[in-house]
Amino acid sequence: MSDKKAYLDCDSCEERIELDVLSGTVGPDAVDITQLYGGAGLFTYDPGFLSTASCGSAITYIDGDEGILRYRGYPIEQLAAKSSFLEVSYLLMYGELPNEDQLSTFTNKIMHHTMINEALLRFFEGFHCDAHPMAMMVGVVGSLSAFYHDSIDMQDEAHRELAAYRLLAKMPTIAAAAYKHNVGERVMYPRNNLSYVGNFLQMMFGLPCEDYAVDPLAERAVDLLFILHADHEQNASTSSVRLVGSSGANPFACIAAGVASLWGPAHGGANEAVLKMLEEIGDASQIDKYIDKAKDKDDPFRLMGFGHRVYKNYDPRAKIIREVCLQVLEKLADSNNPLFELAHRLEERALHDEYFLERGLYPNVDYYSGIIYRALGIPESMFTVMFAIARTAGWVSHWMEMLKDPKHRIGRPRQLYVGADQRDYVPMEERT
Ligand code: SDX
């Protein structure tokens, strides 16, 4: 809170309205309009929430102009260089970096919730073999609530924590099972003696007829990508989880809503869309044609992986991912990867074009991630699934934070009604 005030002189009101101004730790102040409708009969209007803070949160801070991203105050660059996905998950959930015992206990708990009910495995048999894995994720994650009745009392903190652990632990198992269904292979069961990412890779690429050795390069690259995708403030999917959770819905239904929202090509579905775009462009000779298409208001084509609601500068994650991309490709003796070359040329061309510069359109987290996933043998249809696994850490952290917030209440936005005024029913015989 601060003692700052904002004042609203409004033709719709008889007197000047005084509003409190709230200050956070860092970042823009916020005008508190919670009493605006009750006190002055006014709504605010902000489609897409460009200027609206939906809550107070201590989890992630973003400065879009400076290209800053911090999880619980720690810069993403430091966490990317020094941390691990499970350590970051603990940090997001509990607010502090774990000590050795805490991390070991947390890891052990997560790695002992990796199995899913055998009946749930049979759900995959009901999907067509070419079902999109995100469609399977939405369905199966939501169905977890049919199996875990012992962790859905939202008023019980132990239940909330157990549900969060189950979700973090089971997302890789569900994701890998969806992939195995697509490729017609038998599901690989979790190996709890492996790392979180190592276990995921063996469930994805392991075969029952041979031993599987986790590739340390892939293990480190995926763990790093999971760190970078773990949370991002009040993005569309996290806001979906919060809104669904605000009604007291069970955590599995909330995370299923997050998965569904993330799937959109304007959000987490962009990483898959980037690869499709690069394949459509084909080679550097076509770059100018597609840059023109992206700028043409009459053409629905957009440069996928470019632009962001908050970042009007480089997405700090994109910079890190581009470096990782180069390292992975070099170690895979694929440093002349044509897709990476094309992506880099396209980025260079766009960042010398006034249209992109004046709108602050830079590469975002989705621009290079797909190139790494493909280099590691992960198919395009699984790219957003990878995002969902990682973002589960952020989703459960925001869900827990919201339920612990004494101010939280059911989310119920209002509207500016622009439809018909009152009118009387028209009998059929009088209609034209
Ligand atoms: C993620 O919110 C998050 O934090 C999300 C995320 C996370 O970690 O959770 O960071 C993950 O979703 C990253 C974004 C991935 N999506 C894409 O890469 C899809 C392509 N990008 C665009 O669809 C768009 O940039 C958005 C959706 C990301 C942002 O949309 P906004 O904020 O609503 O911006 P806008 O559509 O109002 O665009 C502003 C202007 C418009 O032109 P004008 O009307 O001003 O002339 O920029 C143009 C847009 O036409 N524009 C683009 C463009 N993105 C915006 N033009 C061409 N190509 C693009 N990619």
Side-chain angles (χ1 to χ4, degrees), residues 232 235-236 265-268 270 294 297 302-309 312 315 317 355-356 359 361 364-366 387 391:
H232 213 241
N235 58 85
H267 190 10
K297 293 302 169 200
R302 282 198 165 185
L303 217 46
M304 300 314 280
F306 256 74
H308 198 278
R309 170 59 58 76
K312 300 308 173 191
D315 180 334
R317 301 166 296 177
Y355 172 93
F356 293 89
R359 290 170 178 80
L361 302 176
N364 59 50
V365 68
D366 291 311
F387 199 148
R391 189 51 58 89

Side-chain angles (χ1 to χ4, degrees), residues 38-71:
L42 285 173
F43 290 153
T44 58
Y45 179 72
D46 186 16
F49 310 115
L50 286 112
S51 305
T52 296
S54 60
C55 63
S57 179
I59 298 174
T60 291
Y61 174 70
I62 302 170
D63 180 325
D65 296 326
E66 299 301 319
I68 289 172
L69 169 56
R70 299 178 193 142
Y71 293 163

Side-chain angles (χ1 to χ4, degrees), residues 183-218:
V183 297
E185 291 174 5
R186 195 173 75 81
V187 161
M188 294 298 290
Y189 280 68
R191 306 290 308 164
N192 295 343
N193 60 317
L194 295 174
S195 72
Y196 184 86
V197 169
N199 176 46
F200 170 66
L201 292 171
Q202 79 83 21
M203 290 191 290
M204 280 282 290
F205 302 120
L207 294 170
C209 49
E210 54 192 52
D211 293 338
Y212 179 80
V214 176
D215 173 353
L217 169 69

Side-chain angles (χ1 to χ4, degrees), residues 126-173:
F127 292 111
H128 201 273
C129 61
D130 64 354
H132 195 290
M134 282 299 279
M136 293 190 259
M137 291 293 286
V138 172
V140 175
V141 170
S143 302
L144 287 169
S145 55
F147 291 83
Y148 297 107
H149 309 287
D150 62 343
S151 63
I152 53 175
D153 173 0
M154 294 310 94
Q155 304 313 315
D156 183 332
E157 185 156 6
H159 279 207
R160 297 201 296 264
E161 189 173 64
L162 177 55
Y165 284 14
R166 280 175 163 155
L167 281 157
L168 264 177
K170 297 179 193 305
M171 285 296 271
T173 309

Side-chain angles (χ1 to χ4, degrees), residues 46-309:
D46 186 16
F49 310 115
L50 286 112
S51 305
T52 296
S54 60
C55 63
S57 179
I59 298 174
T60 291
Y61 174 70
I62 302 170
D63 180 325
D65 296 326
E66 299 301 319
I68 289 172
L69 169 56
R70 299 178 193 142
Y71 293 163
R72 299 287 189 178
Y74 295 97
I76 192 67
E77 294 81 3
Q78 294 183 25
L79 293 170
K82 301 171 182 174
S83 190
S84 68
F85 175 65
L86 282 188
E87 181 177 80
V88 162
S89 299
Y90 183 100
L91 172 66
L92 291 170
M93 286 173 68
Y94 296 106
E96 298 297 336
L97 288 169
N99 62 34
E100 274 194 62
D101 286 347
Q102 289 165 331
L103 182 57
S104 166
T105 303
F106 180 73
T107 301
N108 192 49
K109 282 182 179 173
I110 296 295
M111 294 312 293
H112 285 82
H113 278 290
T114 52
M115 297 272 284
I116 59 175
N117 190 297
E118 285 295 311
L120 205 54
L121 276 178
R122 288 196 289 276
F123 276 46
F124 292 93
E125 293 161 20
F127 292 111
H128 201 273
C129 61
D130 64 354
H132 195 290
M134 282 299 279
M136 293 190 259
M137 291 293 286
V138 172
V140 175
V141 170
S143 302
L144 287 169
S145 55
F147 291 83
Y148 297 107
H149 309 287
D150 62 343
S151 63
I152 53 175
D153 173 0
M154 294 310 94
Q155 304 313 315
D156 183 332
E157 185 156 6
H159 279 207
R160 297 201 296 264
E161 189 173 64
L162 177 55
Y165 284 14
R166 280 175 163 155
L167 281 157
L168 264 177
K170 297 179 193 305
M171 285 296 271
T173 309
I174 294 168
Y179 168 71
K180 287 299 195 187
H181 184 67
N182 281 154
V183 297
E185 291 174 5
R186 195 173 75 81
V187 161
M188 294 298 290
Y189 280 68
R191 306 290 308 164
N192 295 343
N193 60 317
L194 295 174
S195 72
Y196 184 86
V197 169
N199 176 46
F200 170 66
L201 292 171
Q202 79 83 21
M203 290 191 290
M204 280 282 290
F205 302 120
L207 294 170
C209 49
E210 54 192 52
D211 293 338
Y212 179 80
V214 176
D215 173 353
L217 169 69
E219 187 176 27
R220 174 58 191 147
V222 171
D223 193 83
L224 176 50
L225 287 164
F226 281 0
I227 290 171
L228 296 170
H229 286 80
D231 193 53
H232 213 241
E233 195 207 74
Q234 305 306 322
N235 58 85
S237 55
T238 299
S239 296
S240 301
V241 170
R242 278 180 172 261
L243 191 56
V244 172
S246 71
S247 73
N250 75 72
F252 308 108
C254 297
I255 301 308
V259 174
S261 171
L262 186 73
W263 194 8
H267 190 10
N271 53 19
E272 182 178 353
V274 167
L275 262 291
K276 289 186 167 50
M277 172 187 74
L278 292 173
E279 286 164 344
E280 181 185 338
I281 293 171
D283 65 63
S285 67
Q286 298 300 303
I287 285 178
D288 285 344
K289 170 187 163 190
Y290 280 87
I291 289 285
D292 291 341
K293 280 171 64 70
K295 292 155 61 174
D296 178 356
K297 293 302 169 200
D298 297 325
D299 190 323
F301 176 81
R302 282 198 165 185
L303 217 46
M304 300 314 280
F306 256 74
H308 198 278
R309 170 59 58 76

